[in-house]
Amino acid sequence: MLKNHFKIALRNLWKHKVFSFINITGLSIGITACFFISMYVAFELSYDKFNTKADRIYRLVTDIKTPSETINTDATSWAFAPNLKADFPEIESFVRVQRQDFLIRKDNIKFQEDNCMLADSSLFKVFDFKLIKGDPKTALKAPTSVIFSETAVKKYFGDSDPIGKTVLISGDAVPAQVTGVMKDMPANSQIKADVLLSMTSLTQKFRPDIDTQWGNYGANTYLLLKPGVNAKSLQTKFPAFVEKHNGVDARRNKMFATLLLEPLKDVYLHSTRGGQETGSMSNVYIFSIVAVFILLIACINFINLTTARSVERAKEVGIRKVVGAAKGELAGQFIGESVVLCIIAFLITLALSALLLPTFNQLSGKVISPGIFSNSSYILILFVVAVIIGVLAGIYPAAVLTSFKPVMVLKGRFSAGTKGNLLRKSLVIVQFTVSIVLIIGTIIVYNQMNFMQNRDLGFSKDQMLVFSTDNDSGKQAFKQAVDGIPGVKATTFSSSVPGGGYNGAYSEIENNKGDLQVANLALYFVDFDYIKQFGIKMVAGRPFSRDFISTDTSQAMIINEEAAKLFGYTSPQQAVGRRFKQWGREGKIVGVMKNFHYKSLQEKIEPLTMRVELNALSLISIKVNTANLKGTLADIEGKWKQYIPNKPFSYFFLDEFFDRQYRSEQRFGKLFFNFAILAIAISCLGLLGLASYSTYQRTREIGIRKVLGASTPGIVNMLSTDFMKLVLISFFIATPLAWYFMHKWLQDFAYRIDIQWWVFLVAGVLAMIIALTTISFQAIRAALANPVKSLRSE
């Protein structure tokens, strides 16, 4: 029996090649897209869950309240963690980590490693990072102990054993002993590094007093609680701990800390404080919805075409019922054929997924999966989904066709009925509603990305090369030599560039009442040329000047407009001449600069201060003429090798570096666009199939109309009108839905576009054009057909 069903299924597939192709293609594309999105969502949700103790690991974060603001930071002071461990038996262990970049040298091999991390020796006790060589208990215990990842160790040692060997770290060439080799940290870890340096290098060698600094907030701290400890109960004990150890200093400095615990599993997607690597829960939700939508569209196509074509088999069912076929047997036949189609689509999906997975990994910017068979549960789920779709798509035609009386069919009185037509029209509306929502979403995502990349940032980032000198002793000679290169327009030293981070500084600035007001402010150290070279405008006072070199290097500060507002000044001019104290320096504000975006457009412009500190400038920014960029770069490289020979020649373009902040949003936009295109393509396939079926059903009518003088445009209009009405209904349903979802998405950006009315109009017109183009192909073909052949076939 099953063999017979299978044969009939294959014959029907082959007999209706076009319908079969559209059905299988649409469903394959839909399941493939859904499969990829499911892998992406599962990967994002899996961050840090590979840690066996993840349920007991918490990130310690701080709210710092000053008279000016409350700062929600992901860091804690260096003194908190060791003292918490000593005071609370509920804490089993702690680990502090801090991202760094180091110049690492071994013989003639040198790399500027930007993925390094300082870590306490307890790192391997708290987290499940694996050491291939070395003792996890002691590998990070001694000062200047270093661990390389599998990938990093090959750069310096090849295939030889690195344990016990020495490398030189930083521009000061500090000897460091290799004590371990670790497996590359998992891709779904928000803590990542290729090189680990022992935290004791900092706390015992470079800055031996740092563990006693309660006001120095620079450590990312993780606590491992003992089994059964309630994190919320433990957190309620922290205020007394802070008061005991830091209460006097907090009141004197007017900076009050509140310690909070964040579950490790929540840090990547749910924390608003940032971190080494962060994700977006809203993006996960959006992609999950898109996956459901795409699969829904594919299923609608499949069900629509299956139910539409099933009517053609009414006579076959009538004859089989007359000769004794049971109702259950006929239902099984229809459901079985539908399942066979879905299994074929499943097999094609596997092939497509294997072929496209590398491209998808590249688009997402992560290795979501090394191969489609790396997790067999995904394949099993995919197969079950395909079978379920097949069963659901087969149930309706089976129920309809097995319920009628064979006498009526054999007399030619059977028709699909209004219920079947209503179902198909409803499904088309759902399908195009989803497609229009995705078109609107794509336009809004593109406009937001374009807005961020083209907005006036308040500073010049074009034609700017940035080099890190690591405060090499040859940096001044290098700058002077570079100034003489014909293609170089200007050079300047600084501690930071826009988009590249900043120092946070405890500051006291005179407010509009004449009092020194405490605040923690962003701080750039710059030289005298920085403001001019970066095109930052002054709105009050003056920029730093060599004419005031003695005071500007020791007693002068420039603030931005936002800082002036923070201290109560209604105009920037009022802030000029006011007193400040900051990091041991006292002086006066000499100027107020116009706000510029020194952070991503996702974040609001916050108060910023600048000071001239010539001994703390490691970055050199070089503005170049791009007419002969290759030659200019060669000249700069020659000077670099002459004056800074111990450091590899590396640089970045500031515009590319700044735009890198939007990389995750750009990837989101590309993925969203590609999946929107797939959804629209699947909808068009379904519409093409339904138009083909509709035309087939009206072959006789079209023939008669042509004989009676109907024109080709008239027939095309007749065949298209019904479908276009459905698309119009879809547009009115999709518009409020799209506005709601995209309005929510835009809330993640501090600076964002307004959703304009024309976006919806463009999306509606596009949907109409796409639908009309799809339908017209079949309609024109039918209108141009010879009516004699149509009527003869009837």
Side-chain angles (χ1 to χ4, degrees):
M1 183 65 70
L2 287 174
K3 184 178 178 181
N4 187 51
H5 284 343
F6 187 70
K7 280 183 179 180
I8 294 172
L10 291 179
R11 284 173 185 165
N12 276 303
L13 285 177
W14 187 251
K15 181 180 178 182
H16 303 278
K17 299 182 189 69
V18 174
F19 280 96
S20 299
F21 173 78
I22 291 174
N23 250 342
I24 293 171
T25 302
L27 191 58
S28 299
I29 294 172
I31 297 178
T32 302
C34 186
F35 179 50
F36 280 145
I37 295 176
S38 299
M39 285 199 299
Y40 174 84
V41 168
F43 180 82
E44 291 291 285
L45 294 174
S46 73
Y47 261 75
D48 297 310
K49 292 180 181 176
F50 63 89
N51 293 288
T52 55
K53 303 169 188 171
D55 291 334
R56 295 194 283 132
I57 301 173
Y58 291 81
R59 183 170 74 164
L60 185 68
V61 297
T62 318
D63 286 346
I64 306 169
K65 187 174 182 180
T66 73
S68 306
E69 61 192 334
T70 298
I71 304 162
N72 308 119
T73 176
D74 64 330
T76 60
S77 86
W78 292 93
F80 277 140
N83 285 281
L84 280 167
K85 175 69 172 67
D87 283 18
F88 295 103
E90 298 97 321
I91 299 173
E92 182 176 319
S93 187
F94 73 88
V95 60
R96 294 168 298 179
V97 296
Q98 186 186 50
R99 286 290 296 271
Q100 294 280 351
D101 62 320
F102 290 112
L103 170 62
I104 300 180
R105 287 176 282 167
K106 179 188 175 291
D107 302 327
N108 294 323
I109 303 169
K110 53 189 175 185
F111 289 98
Q112 183 70 31
E113 296 285 357
D114 59 0
N115 193 21
C116 303
M117 189 168 70
L118 287 159
D120 283 309
S121 59
S122 52
L123 177 75
F124 297 101
K125 179 179 180 180
V126 176
F127 297 103
D128 287 5
F129 302 131
K130 305 296 182 185
L131 272 189
I132 301 170
K133 294 180 180 180
D135 185 347
K137 294 180 181 178
T138 60
L140 288 173
K141 205 155 193 176
T144 63
S145 299
V146 64
I147 294 174
F148 287 99
S149 69
E150 281 182 291
T151 299
V153 78
K154 290 178 181 177
K155 293 194 296 188
Y156 300 95
F157 299 95
D159 295 327
S160 62
D161 187 357
I163 300 299
K165 294 182 180 177
T166 300
V167 294
L168 302 178
I169 291 183
S170 81
D172 296 330
V174 177
Q177 187 179 50
V178 181
T179 54
V181 177
M182 65 177 175
K183 287 184 71 68
D184 289 345
M185 289 183 172
N188 59 344
S189 172
Q190 50 98 14
I191 298 174
K192 290 191 183 79
D194 287 324
V195 181
L196 298 176
L197 183 66
S198 57
M199 185 63 77
T200 51
S201 307
L202 181 70
T203 60
Q204 295 181 24
K205 187 175 178 68
F206 302 129
R207 298 180 63 183
D209 62 335
I210 198 168
D211 272 352
T212 62
Q213 294 180 359
W214 290 90
N216 187 348
Y217 290 84
N220 293 114
T221 303
Y222 296 85
L223 304 180
L224 175 64
L225 306 187
K226 290 180 179 178
V229 172
N230 186 295
K232 289 185 178 179
S233 298
L234 176 61
Q235 186 175 289
T236 61
K237 302 176 183 179
F238 288 165
F241 165 84
V242 174
E243 173 60 30
K244 172 186 171 184
H245 291 282
N246 195 43
V248 175
D249 286 344
R251 283 186 288 276
R252 182 178 65 250
N253 297 326
K254 299 178 182 178
M255 293 185 72
F256 301 91
T258 301
L259 297 179
L260 305 167
L261 293 174
E262 289 185 335
L264 177 68
K265 291 180 179 179
D266 291 349
V267 171
Y268 177 71
L269 285 175
H270 298 283
S271 178
T272 58
R273 298 170 186 266
Q276 291 190 28
E277 186 177 355
T278 58
S280 169
M281 196 64 204
S282 64
N283 286 358
V284 169
Y285 286 139
I286 288 171
F287 276 128
S288 299
I289 292 168
V290 169
V292 172
F293 279 177
I294 289 177
L295 190 60
L296 179 66
I297 289 173
C299 293
I300 287 171
N301 266 2
F302 190 80
I303 294 169
N304 248 345
L305 294 177
T306 302
T307 54
R309 191 173 61 82
S310 65
V311 179
E312 298 173 27
R313 300 179 63 183
K315 288 184 179 180
E316 173 198 336
V317 174
I319 293 170
R320 290 179 65 182
K321 289 188 81 171
V322 168
V323 297
K327 196 171 183 179
E329 183 184 335
L330 292 171
Q333 174 69 49
F334 280 101
I335 294 172
E337 288 181 16
S338 182
V339 170
V340 168
L341 269 174
C342 288
I343 291 174
I344 293 171
F346 164 75
L347 295 174
I348 294 173
T349 293
L350 291 183
L352 283 174
S353 300
L355 183 66
L356 297 175
L357 184 59
T359 303
F360 180 71
N361 284 335
Q362 187 177 4
L363 272 175
S364 61
K366 314 176 180 184
V367 180
I368 300 298
S369 176
I372 62 169
F373 297 105
S374 60
N375 192 329
S376 56
S377 63
Y378 289 165
I379 305 300
L380 181 61
I381 292 169
L382 200 64
F383 177 77
V384 172
V385 167
V387 172
I388 290 172
I389 293 171
V391 171
L392 292 176
I395 285 175
Y396 178 77
V400 172
L401 291 175
T402 57
S403 63
F404 62 79
K405 296 178 180 179
V407 176
M408 294 178 63
V409 175
L410 296 177
K411 286 184 176 181
R413 296 177 185 171
F414 178 79
S415 64
T418 56
K419 289 184 179 179
N421 286 330
L422 181 62
L423 173 66
R424 284 191 288 278
K425 287 179 179 180
S426 300
L427 293 177
V428 168
I429 290 171
V430 171
Q431 202 172 45
F432 266 86
T433 297
V434 172
S435 295
I436 294 169
V437 167
L438 292 175
I439 292 172
I440 293 169
T442 301
I443 295 172
I444 292 172
V445 169
Y446 172 79
N447 286 342
Q448 177 64 20
M449 294 299 103
N450 191 57
F451 167 79
M452 291 197 299
Q453 290 178 331
N454 295 295
R455 179 180 167 88
D456 180 10
L457 299 172
F459 70 94
S460 173
K461 61 184 173 72
D462 297 327
Q463 304 173 347
M464 200 86 74
L465 301 174
V466 182
F467 298 79
S468 175
T469 67
D470 268 345
N471 278 319
D472 191 279
S473 58
K475 66 179 185 179
Q476 287 291 349
F478 170 70
K479 181 181 185 298
Q480 291 172 6
V482 167
D483 281 333
I485 295 174
V488 172
K489 294 181 178 180
T491 60
T492 184
F493 276 121
S494 65
S495 64
S496 308
V497 292
Y502 50 86
N503 294 305
Y506 174 83
S507 311
E508 295 177 77
I509 293 181
E510 184 181 352
N511 61 24
N512 63 335
K513 297 177 181 178
D515 301 321
L516 285 176
Q517 181 175 323
V518 173
N520 192 70
L521 303 178
L523 168 63
Y524 275 19
F525 291 129
V526 301
D527 69 4
F528 294 102
D529 304 309
Y530 188 88
I531 290 176
K532 179 181 178 182
Q533 183 167 319
F534 277 84
I536 299 168
K537 295 180 175 62
M538 300 296 297
V539 293
R542 62 172 178 84
F544 297 119
S545 171
R546 289 184 177 84
D547 294 338
F548 305 93
I549 191 169
S550 61
T551 55
D552 277 8
T553 54
S554 58
Q555 301 172 24
M557 173 184 283
I558 290 176
I559 63 175
N560 68 350
E561 293 173 294
E562 206 61 33
K565 289 179 185 177
L566 178 67
F567 296 103
Y569 299 114
T570 55
S571 71
Q573 288 79 9
Q574 294 173 353
V576 177
R578 301 290 182 156
R579 294 172 295 146
F580 79 84
K581 292 182 180 181
Q582 188 183 68
W583 275 7
R585 290 289 175 92
E586 295 185 31
K588 292 186 177 179
I589 296 169
V590 298
V592 179
M593 56 190 160
K594 188 175 179 62
N595 284 339
F596 69 92
H597 290 278
Y598 64 95
K599 297 192 289 185
S600 163
L601 288 173
Q602 289 174 291
E603 303 176 69
K604 290 184 177 180
I605 296 175
E606 294 184 347
L608 173 68
T609 62
M610 283 187 185
R611 281 179 21 211
V612 174
E613 194 79 37
L614 299 178
N615 294 323
L617 311 178
S618 61
L619 299 180
I620 179 169
S621 302
I622 303 176
K623 194 171 185 67
V624 297
N625 189 329
T626 56
N628 182 25
L629 183 58
K630 190 174 181 180
T632 302
L633 278 172
D635 291 341
I636 294 173
E637 184 175 7
K639 301 300 183 185
W640 181 274
K641 290 179 177 177
Q642 181 180 353
Y643 294 104
I644 309 180
N646 292 325
K647 185 171 167 49
F649 180 73
S650 62
Y651 62 90
F652 57 84
F653 286 95
L654 182 61
D655 54 351
E656 294 177 359
F657 177 76
F658 192 86
D659 290 344
R660 217 176 287 167
Q661 298 176 103
Y662 312 127
R663 192 174 287 168
S664 61
E665 285 74 30
Q666 288 166 347
R667 288 177 184 141
F668 169 81
K670 287 179 181 178
L671 286 172
F672 194 93
F673 174 76
N674 282 287
F675 287 125
I677 292 295
L678 284 178
I680 294 163
I682 297 168
S683 296
C684 290
L685 277 174
L687 200 58
L688 178 64
L690 282 178
S692 177
Y693 171 76
S694 177
T695 303
Y696 173 81
Q697 291 288 88
R698 302 175 73 173
T699 301
R700 185 180 181 187
E701 177 189 347
I702 293 168
I704 294 171
R705 285 178 179 273
K706 287 204 72 174
V707 169
L708 295 174
S711 65
T712 298
I715 292 173
V716 171
N717 181 61
M718 176 194 73
L719 293 172
S720 305
T721 300
D722 286 345
F723 287 109
M724 298 311 293
K725 287 178 182 176
L726 300 181
V727 175
L728 190 61
I729 293 170
S730 300
F731 169 74
F732 286 112
I733 297 172
T735 296
L737 289 175
W739 182 89
Y740 173 78
F741 286 120
M742 297 317 297
H743 177 75
K744 294 278 286 183
W745 179 73
L746 287 171
Q747 300 313 301
D748 288 340
F749 300 89
Y751 300 91
R752 52 186 177 264
I753 60 169
D754 294 321
I755 301 177
Q756 302 292 332
W757 62 269
W758 61 262
V759 170
F760 303 100
L761 180 62
V762 168
V765 171
L766 274 175
M768 288 287 187
I769 291 171
I770 291 168
L772 189 59
T773 303
T774 304
I775 297 164
S776 295
F777 172 78
Q778 192 63 36
I780 292 169
R781 184 182 172 188
L784 293 175
N786 189 338
V788 175
K789 291 183 179 179
S790 302
L791 296 174
R792 184 184 297 161
S793 65
E794 291 291 320

